[in-house]
Amino acid sequence: MARINWKRVRPTCISHAMELCIEYGRQKHNLSVDRIADRMGLPQKWTLYKWMENGRIPSIEIPAFEHACGANFVTVYLATAAHKLLIDIPVGKKPVDTDILTLNANFNDAISLLTRFYKGEADMQDTLSALTNTIESIAFHRENIQKDHAPELDFGTEHEDE
């Protein structure tokens, strides 16, 4: 399977969100479906496969599932389906130069895809993903600036996305 850019991928349905969580756990944490099910306290992995197949994971299981996988794609999908935007809550730390360069690259990608989309040359899902990624990046930096005067302690809980 091709390497996934986790910062750019967006789930298209609950089943896809669950697949992304499991794949993230596999790639980033070397977790099998058996280990994810075990971390969740499920008696067998087939329960997870059933939930993915019919797209009906019990809402009470979502936090445990995402925690076990180390990714929150189900929550992101649910928010997006409700026309809401989620951002990671920043801790108020000064960005490094690469953060600003990444923001600029996100802008460039989004504008390029938007232009190509209106010409009929770009995929709708790719364009929406790039625009959402850019909006989230801007919102993150906005909140980070607001917290600049009183930064929070970093206990190493940030997810590595790449």
Side-chain angles (χ1 to χ4, degrees):
M1 177 176 222
R3 190 140 172 90
I4 297 173
N5 183 345
W6 294 107
K7 289 183 179 181
R8 294 182 181 262
V9 69
R10 297 281 179 245
T12 57
C13 65
I14 291 283
S15 297
H16 184 228
M18 291 182 69
E19 289 171 14
L20 288 172
C21 284
I22 289 172
E23 186 59 30
Y24 184 90
R26 182 176 294 131
Q27 282 188 16
K28 296 293 184 175
H29 304 292
N30 197 29
L31 295 172
S32 65
V33 176
D34 283 321
R35 286 180 61 196
I36 292 169
D38 186 50
R39 285 182 169 194
M40 291 178 64
L42 297 175
Q44 56 187 352
K45 67 180 176 184
W46 305 112
T47 305
L48 281 176
Y49 284 120
K50 182 179 87 174
W51 292 343
M52 276 193 302
E53 179 184 24
N54 62 25
R56 297 182 65 156
I57 181 172
S59 60
I60 198 166
E61 298 290 347
I62 293 172
F65 173 68
E66 291 182 334
H67 181 72
C69 296
N72 63 351
F73 292 109
V74 175
T75 299
V76 168
Y77 173 75
L78 292 172
T80 304
H83 305 288
K84 305 295 181 199
L85 180 68
L86 296 179
I87 62 165
D88 291 330
I89 297 174
V91 294
K93 291 191 172 191
K94 299 279 186 208
V96 294
D97 291 341
T98 55
D99 292 339
I100 305 302
L101 292 174
T102 300
L103 179 64
N104 190 31
N106 287 346
F107 264 114
N108 290 337
D109 289 347
I111 296 300
S112 173
L113 278 168
L114 187 61
T115 303
R116 289 179 37 227
F117 176 79
Y118 284 129
K119 290 180 181 178
E121 300 170 357
D123 180 59
M124 179 183 71
Q125 198 60 38
D126 291 342
T127 306
L128 288 173
S129 179
L131 288 170
T132 302
N133 201 25
T134 301
I135 292 168
E136 287 174 351
S137 296
I138 288 294
F140 175 88
H141 284 286
R142 180 186 183 281
E143 291 300 310
N144 200 39
I145 288 169
Q146 282 187 327
K147 289 189 174 190
D148 184 60
H149 67 285
E152 298 170 10
L153 296 175
D154 180 12
F155 293 109
T157 56
E158 292 183 28
H159 295 287
E160 70 177 53
D161 290 332
E162 287 223 67

